[in-house]
Amino acid sequence: MKKGDHLFLVDGSGFIFRAFHALPPLTRKSDGLPVGAVSGFCNMLWKLITNARDTSVGVTPTHFAVIFDYSSKTFRKELFPEYKANRSAPPEELVPQFGLIRQATVAFNLPCIETEGFEADDIIATYARMATEKGGDVTIISSDKDLMQLVRDNVHMYDSMKDKQIGIPDVIEKWGVPPEKMIDLQALTGDSVDNIPGVPGIGPKTAAQLLEEYGDLETLLARAGEIKQAKRRENIIENREKALLSRQLVELRTDVPLDVDLDGLVLEPQDGPKLVAFLKALDFTTLTRRVAEATGTDAAAVEAVEVTTEWGADAHGPDVGEGGAAAAPATARVETTPKAAPVAAAGALTPAALSSARAEAFKGVKIDTEGYETVRDLDALDRWIALARETGLVAFDTETTSLDPMLAELVGFSLAVADNRADATGVSVRACYVPIAHKAGQGDLLGGGLVENQIPLGKALERLKPLLEDAAVLKVAQNLKYDYLLMKRHGVEIAGFDDTMLMSYVLEAGTGSHGMDALSERWLGHTPIAYKDVAGSGKGAVSFDMVDIARATAYAAEDADVTLRLWQVLKPRLVSEQLVTVYERLERPLVPVLARMEERGISVDRQILSRLSGELAQKAAAFEAEIYELAGESFNVGSPKQLGDILFGKMGLPGGAKTKTGQWSTSAQVLEDLAAAGHPLPRKIVDWRQLTKLKSTYTDALPGFIHPQTKRVHTSYSLAATTTGRLSSSEPNLQNIPVRTAEGRKIRTAFIATPGHKLVSADYSQIELRVLAHVAEIPQLTRAFAEGIDIHAMTASEMFGVPVEGMPSEVRRRAKAINFGIIYGISAFGLANQLGIERSEAGDYIKKYFERFPGIRDYMESTKAEAREKGYVETIFGRRAYYPEIRSSNPQVRAFNERAAINAPIQGSAADIIRRAMIRMEGALSDAGLAEQARMLLQVHDELIFEVEDEAVEATLKTVTHTMENAAMPALDMRVPLKVDARAAHNWDEAH
DNA sequence: CCCCAACCGTA
DNA sequence: GTACGGTTGGGGG
């Protein structure tokens, strides 16, 4: 090693833990072997070996080593037996990956270093010393704070997951001390993870301050008597020995005896076949392809190597992989690289076969993200538009400055078309990116001039509008609602579209994410460029207009490309699964409806919220004072942990339930019980929590969502977030605005109609019980609904033989709880909890209920059976909800899935009904001549909220009620009438 | 800085 | 007992 050489030291043991938690779980498809951390490790190594210069490391390594911990028996353990004593066993999915990562290192032709009795950190420290003594530079690939003491001018750290280099200023910024004082700082603070004691009560801030004042640990200990704060002074004097011991534990050794010297760490060229054989064994298709290409290896000709999950002291040496000890080694199957399947003409294929053939074909073809065209002028754009018109099919995607379509500015858009003249599977896809508003400069106040050679926004829209609004050309997008809303703000109303996200949702609700990356992975076997790799993440993130256009082209055009490929696979699958109707009647038409609702937003009175915030703050403060008084000390009331310590530790109250982490629960239920037993404090806590909840979640947060231009609040609805078919609302969530308590309802008074208007709220009465009566065909329920009888009273009367007239409220309350319980897939445990009765008594109720309503038991049993057999259940309109875990061997998991499967057709059918009402609503209002006067704003599962001109209120109430009550027709004539209550008022509280 | 657990708001 | 999303505290790197 000489000056100018650069040694990379990878903290292998640290990486695996971090990668395991940071990366999504990944398993080998053939056998479920967990390989997520190994995958992250391999990708990181490959990137550093081939491309370190383009990362924030900025240099190419000449020397390279991967360092591991040997075992837990180290010199530190001898020094301090409790060292790392509170470490729990690693997660079971992680265990097999330890061995695989060592094997990966060998496959990469990299030295794999470990030394008995020392930790990886000591070895790293030793090599770093050796290299710098020879004049070389060092980069430690880790973000572990324990290694920060090594940072120098010529020793850097590198966080590979964040692509961030850590130098001296970074250490100072983060810890308040330079790297060489990190040892003293850690000696003072200790480390609960490694069980290093430190000085109690001293955290990083205090430690940095003390070191700033006294220089170093020794001086500090010598002059501890001078510290002003009494408690701190005592602590330090008392724990002097602990601090010194901690220092010994924290300080890294730089004299570890090493078998391999620096010259043994010279970076060797990659052995293509050897590495490919390993990567293939783990099914890392993308990386296999990359490596094969870069090393000129014919991947198809390489046989996957056998891999082993063995490791540890017994597995050391060259015999790795031969081991026959405890765990049976997981062996890879040998597999050839998929080739583009020969496919017959589309006309000869069934939809199912076409979908599969396309998926197979796509999986065998690499997507080349460098081959996309950047469209720089109108002639080129016109050629693409002509191509789209010619084929009648184009994938469209926008790139913007924000995830919020109400705030986003258009930066560019991408198009993809399929070449019809290629084979019928449509494998040949061409894509382009059209930059419009990319900026140059550093993003400071002055930077940010438009990059040259971009089509101006106006010109682009002028060309794009006729294409997007022409229903004869099918536009395909992923999560179209976003692009629809954005384009609508630019005066373009997209017509004639499909949405791959909604297609996936219809096909497989309940089986995971429907985001594009996940779909691409699932259907195409392709990992698209990650957004954060283009625009950064966290602090280093930039908006898309600051992204380099070449990079933006690769990313954006790939999105359109992938979207079109997904469409080619998913569209025929909708046909073969007979889900076209669900998609076309319940999903796709809702996109423009929701986009318009979001665009309209609702008016929120800032003054009301601000006044409420003030009131809540005062009341909460008063409660806090009383709470501290009763507790005898002040503490963070918002911390369940601290609260638990006070209630069940200090005050010795009887603890009730435990949380799943073993903490005492301080839930409202537990506190209510304690209050009922005569303890004054718990009641105060409950009240305090209510007030602070209202303040932080609603009165403080809502004003921040008021749009700067429209002055209204625009929520975002997700169409594909739930398993059952419900919508969800976020940013802000307007589906959980308080209503149950008087205090909470005040928040609803802030949701108001603009002058000259009213808010109309229309909600379905008992829609889920009506759906249940319909699907389970329960005569008593059907009759009661037909006659408009109080359904809970009827239930109570049937069960307990009590006449409805003069029924005690407690009896009705119990029947009501049972009715709700049925919808939720009742259990004796849950019902007992709800009613505060014994489980046996709850069991008796359920038994009696089933005797009276045997149709419900039949329905529940048949629904469970259906879910078990088919893996999914269906709503009355044919929407599917998948429950793959219903066959779990874990009884708890199974029971949970059974209850969910029972609930899904009920909740989901109700969701379908209101979807149908929403889809028809604008037409109905328009037919009634109300299009201009009544605007639908919000949906809250069984309720729709409109803003209506005063004169149009009566007519709107009528139209809305009628549309909602008849929403199931004509597709379905329900056995039970649907009932809607609607009213109008100035604010949401009074309208509801 | 990110993630999870606990808690709690709605239907 | 179902379905969600948001806030806080706390633990981790």
Side-chain angles (χ1 to χ4, degrees):
Chain A
M1 165 140 329
K2 57 185 187 305
K3 194 166 167 50
D5 282 352
H6 203 118
L7 167 64
F8 278 31
L9 294 165
V10 175
D11 175 13
S13 298
F15 184 89
I16 189 168
F17 278 98
R18 180 114 187 276
F20 178 74
H21 294 292
L23 300 172
L26 175 71
T27 54
R28 183 165 64 181
K29 286 196 190 67
S30 54
D31 58 2
L33 178 71
V35 292
V38 186
S39 162
F41 182 75
C42 292
N43 280 305
M44 182 266 294
L45 285 187
W46 181 248
K47 195 166 184 180
L48 287 181
I49 288 169
T50 58
N51 197 26
R53 178 165 286 284
D54 289 343
T55 69
S56 62
V57 178
V59 292
T60 305
T62 56
H63 296 63
F64 207 118
V66 184
I67 323 289
F68 293 99
D69 291 328
Y70 185 88
S71 73
S72 59
K73 283 171 279 178
T74 65
F75 73 92
R76 290 189 178 82
K77 197 94 187 169
E78 284 176 23
L79 211 55
F80 182 54
E82 287 82 37
Y83 177 66
K84 293 198 176 180
N86 53 9
R87 281 269 169 106
S88 48
E92 69 181 276
E93 295 90 325
L94 190 49
V95 174
Q97 303 194 56
F98 290 115
L100 293 173
I101 278 197
R102 283 166 169 80
Q103 249 190 301
T105 308
V106 174
F108 273 90
N109 252 359
L110 295 172
C112 183
I113 312 280
E114 42 200 336
T115 300
E116 194 169 359
F118 293 91
E119 294 182 47
D121 292 359
D122 298 305
I123 302 173
I124 290 172
T126 304
Y127 275 128
R129 173 188 57 80
M130 289 160 66
T132 49
E133 279 172 6
K134 299 260 182 188
D137 292 328
V138 177
T139 294
I140 299 165
I141 289 79
S142 170
S143 55
D144 191 336
K145 69 166 187 310
D146 297 347
L147 286 163
M148 291 190 182
Q149 56 180 274
L150 300 176
V151 171
R152 294 293 181 272
D153 278 334
N154 49 358
V155 180
H156 287 82
M157 288 174 69
Y158 174 65
D159 180 348
S160 60
M161 286 184 202
K162 291 188 188 156
D163 187 30
K164 186 180 184 304
Q165 207 183 32
I166 301 163
I168 295 173
D170 304 285
V171 175
I172 296 174
E173 188 183 339
K174 186 159 176 55
W175 296 98
V177 296
E180 58 274 16
K181 292 196 181 172
M182 279 301 292
I183 303 168
D184 288 351
L185 180 130
Q186 288 178 271
L188 285 166
T189 59
D191 187 334
S192 59
V193 179
D194 293 345
N195 217 17
I196 293 173
V199 178
I202 307 272
K205 292 279 179 251
T206 312
Q209 190 193 321
L210 289 169
L211 291 172
E212 169 78 18
E213 194 172 339
Y214 295 91
D216 58 34
L217 182 65
E218 267 173 40
T219 316
L220 169 66
L221 293 178
R223 295 169 50 195
E226 302 170 20
I227 296 170
K228 291 177 205 67
Q229 297 89 337
K231 188 79 192 162
R232 191 175 293 174
R233 183 173 61 238
E234 274 173 43
N235 266 336
I236 291 176
I237 294 172
E238 216 162 274
N239 292 285
R240 181 194 153 82
E241 294 308 315
K242 277 190 185 164
L244 290 169
L245 171 66
S246 300
R247 193 182 198 287
Q248 275 185 287
L249 293 172
V250 165
E251 182 167 24
L252 297 178
R253 293 270 293 267
T254 58
D255 58 354
V256 178
L258 295 166
D259 297 336
V260 184
D261 64 13
L262 284 176
D263 291 338
L265 303 186
V266 169
L267 183 57
E268 301 287 343
Q270 290 303 300
D271 177 347
K274 175 174 160 189
L275 183 50
V276 165
F278 175 80
L279 297 171
K280 271 182 88 163
L282 293 187
D283 283 354
F284 296 162
T285 47
T286 308
L287 191 56
T288 301
R289 210 161 49 220
R290 272 191 208 139
V291 170
E293 214 167 81
T295 58
T297 307
D298 178 5
V302 175
E303 216 172 87
V305 75
E306 294 217 337
V307 294
T308 176
T309 57
E310 299 263 320
W311 77 289
D314 297 336
H316 281 89
D319 283 342
V320 168
E322 309 281 330
T331 307
R333 77 196 187 294
V334 177
E335 183 209 38
T336 54
T337 303
K339 294 195 184 62
V343 180
L349 288 177
T350 62
L354 179 60
S355 173
S356 308
R358 283 175 171 170
E360 282 313 303
F362 284 138
K363 280 180 187 169
V365 176
K366 180 177 175 291
I367 294 182
D368 173 18
T369 59
E370 297 304 314
Y372 298 124
E373 178 182 339
T374 307
V375 173
R376 295 291 201 164
D377 56 54
L378 283 175
D379 284 348
L381 176 57
D382 286 340
R383 281 196 293 278
W384 278 93
I385 288 175
L387 209 48
R389 289 198 170 280
E390 209 174 291
T391 55
L393 172 68
V394 59
F396 173 69
D397 186 31
T398 56
E399 302 302 333
T400 69
T401 53
S402 168
L403 274 173
D404 180 345
M406 286 300 295
L407 298 172
E409 300 292 334
L410 189 62
V411 173
F413 62 89
S414 50
L415 302 174
V417 295
D419 189 345
N420 284 350
R421 289 155 301 187
D423 72 81
T425 57
V427 167
S428 172
V429 173
R430 299 165 54 187
C432 69
Y433 177 61
V434 188
I436 287 176
H438 283 260
K439 293 175 182 156
Q442 303 308 307
D444 56 21
L445 288 172
L446 297 173
L450 276 184
V451 171
E452 287 187 353
N453 292 325
Q454 300 187 80
I455 300 175
L457 177 64
K459 290 281 180 201
L461 287 175
E462 181 190 298
R463 296 300 216 279
L464 206 48
K465 184 175 162 83
L467 180 77
L468 295 183
E469 294 189 339
D470 183 351
V473 180
L474 186 68
K475 272 70 63 179
V476 181
Q478 166 74 12
N479 188 19
L480 177 86
K481 179 162 67 65
Y482 179 88
D483 309 271
Y484 185 96
L485 184 44
L486 182 89
M487 294 312 294
K488 184 154 183 296
R489 286 176 48 222
H490 287 97
V492 178
E493 285 200 47
I494 301 177
F497 56 82
D498 264 334
D499 185 334
T500 46
M501 180 182 77
L502 298 184
M503 291 177 160
S504 166
Y505 180 58
V506 165
L507 286 166
E508 322 204 280
T511 60
S513 159
H514 307 282
M516 198 188 70
D517 291 358
L519 294 184
S520 176
E521 210 73 65
R522 199 179 317 168
W523 294 100
L524 311 177
H526 170 73
T527 312
I529 301 170
Y531 183 81
K532 67 166 174 19
D533 288 346
V534 177
S537 65
K539 236 180 162 183
V542 297
S543 61
F544 202 81
D545 53 350
M546 300 309 292
V547 172
D548 160 70
I549 289 180
R551 191 87 185 112
T553 297
Y555 171 81
E558 183 190 37
D559 274 5
D561 184 346
V562 166
T563 303
L564 192 57
R565 289 171 198 246
L566 286 172
W567 181 88
Q568 308 250 20
V569 175
L570 297 179
K571 189 81 183 192
R573 187 145 305 233
L574 282 179
V575 178
S576 64
E577 300 282 330
Q578 302 190 311
L579 288 167
V580 174
T581 308
V582 173
Y583 170 70
E584 291 186 352
R585 298 293 178 91
L586 294 172
E587 296 291 339
R588 196 174 60 182
L590 210 50
V591 169
V593 174
L594 289 176
R596 284 190 284 268
M597 290 167 68
E598 293 179 12
E599 189 188 20
R600 288 173 193 136
I602 187 166
S603 188
V604 171
D605 189 323
R606 212 186 264 278
Q607 272 69 46
I608 294 180
L609 291 177
S610 149
R611 184 165 43 74
L612 283 173
S613 273
E615 288 174 18
L616 290 169
Q618 287 207 331
K619 289 183 191 172
F623 273 112
E624 253 162 64
E626 293 181 54
I627 287 165
Y628 297 154
E629 183 70 33
L630 285 166
E633 66 180 288
S634 65
F635 63 102
N636 188 341
V637 188
S639 162
K641 189 172 139 69
Q642 293 182 32
L643 175 62
D645 289 343
I646 297 273
L647 290 176
F648 308 117
K650 181 177 176 186
M651 300 179 69
L653 267 46
K658 290 266 186 79
T659 68
K660 58 185 160 187
T661 54
Q663 291 276 328
W664 287 112
S665 166
T666 65
S667 68
Q669 182 63 62
V670 168
L671 298 179
E672 293 283 4
D673 290 348
L674 289 170
H679 302 289
L681 181 52
R683 169 96 264 143
K684 307 271 182 211
I685 307 282
V686 170
D687 292 340
W688 178 89
R689 277 194 186 156
Q690 196 209 355
L691 298 174
T692 52
K693 169 92 174 178
L694 294 176
K695 183 169 184 292
S696 65
T697 309
Y698 303 103
T699 61
D700 286 351
L702 277 171
F705 288 101
I706 296 175
H707 191 280
Q709 273 99 48
T710 68
K711 310 287 183 200
R712 291 165 75 98
V713 172
H714 307 264
T715 184
S716 173
Y717 288 105
S718 176
L719 268 160
T722 71
T723 306
T724 56
R726 274 191 175 182
L727 305 180
S728 76
S729 156
S730 62
E731 294 183 325
N733 182 353
L734 295 185
Q735 291 181 323
N736 72 345
I737 302 301
V739 71
R740 289 181 194 182
T741 65
E743 200 71 42
R745 273 197 299 277
K746 290 182 184 170
I747 291 162
R748 290 202 170 211
T749 65
F751 289 79
I752 54 173
T754 47
H757 293 69
K758 294 279 184 291
L759 288 184
V760 164
S761 162
D763 68 296
Y764 283 108
S765 159
Q766 311 276 15
I767 188 168
E768 294 191 350
L769 274 178
R770 287 172 199 262
V771 167
L772 176 67
H774 170 81
V775 295
E777 302 187 39
I778 310 301
Q780 303 100 308
L781 288 176
T782 317
R783 201 180 321 124
F785 280 126
E787 293 171 9
I789 295 171
D790 178 338
I791 199 71
H792 303 311
M794 185 284 293
T795 306
S797 175
E798 281 276 342
M799 283 182 65
F800 306 118
V802 185
V804 170
E805 295 291 315
M807 174 179 291
S809 65
E810 176 59 21
V811 174
R812 183 179 179 279
R813 187 181 78 91
R814 294 194 174 198
K816 184 176 174 180
I818 295 168
N819 277 333
F820 273 98
I822 294 294
I823 289 169
Y824 298 153
I826 203 153
S827 75
F829 179 84
L831 183 63
N833 251 350
Q834 176 68 32
L835 287 174
I837 58 178
E838 288 302 311
R839 203 182 311 186
S840 56
E841 197 183 353
D844 291 343
Y845 283 175
I846 294 169
K847 195 158 159 261
K848 192 171 251 172
Y849 185 94
F850 284 152
E851 281 166 13
R852 288 293 168 183
F853 304 100
I856 296 207
R857 180 172 41 203
D858 295 346
Y859 163 77
M860 293 173 95
E861 288 305 321
S862 61
T863 306
K864 278 193 272 183
E866 182 190 2
R868 257 194 307 276
E869 280 160 32
K870 300 198 288 195
Y872 63 86
V873 291
E874 284 181 18
T875 67
I876 51 181
F877 293 98
R879 171 193 302 283
R880 289 184 192 169
Y882 276 84
Y883 292 94
E885 289 191 305
I886 200 160
R887 294 194 187 97
S888 167
S889 56
N890 178 336
Q892 285 209 14
V893 173
R894 199 169 57 236
F896 175 79
N897 278 272
E898 287 174 352
R899 290 193 298 271
I902 288 167
N903 172 256
I906 304 171
Q907 189 186 111
S909 298
D912 290 347
I913 290 170
I914 197 166
R915 278 175 179 241
R916 289 173 60 92
M918 294 169 72
I919 289 163
R920 286 193 210 167
M921 191 58 74
E922 302 197 340
L925 290 169
S926 178
D927 289 348
L930 297 165
E932 301 297 316
Q933 293 132 1
R935 304 180 309 159
M936 183 160 61
L937 306 185
L938 302 178
Q939 189 249 42
V940 190
H941 307 308
D942 66 357
E943 175 189 14
L944 294 173
I945 290 105
F946 302 78
E947 189 170 39
V948 186
E949 286 181 14
D950 287 332
E951 311 80 70
V953 165
E954 284 310 311
T956 301
L957 288 171
K958 213 173 131 204
T959 301
V960 166
T961 305
H962 183 264
T963 305
M964 289 174 73
E965 289 186 341
N966 293 284
M969 302 270 269
L972 195 75
D973 193 4
M974 290 179 66
R975 298 174 190 90
V976 183
L978 294 177
K979 181 163 174 284
V980 168
D981 298 315
R983 50 203 289 206
H986 176 63
N987 66 54
W988 192 4
D989 180 38
E990 290 164 30
H992 183 75

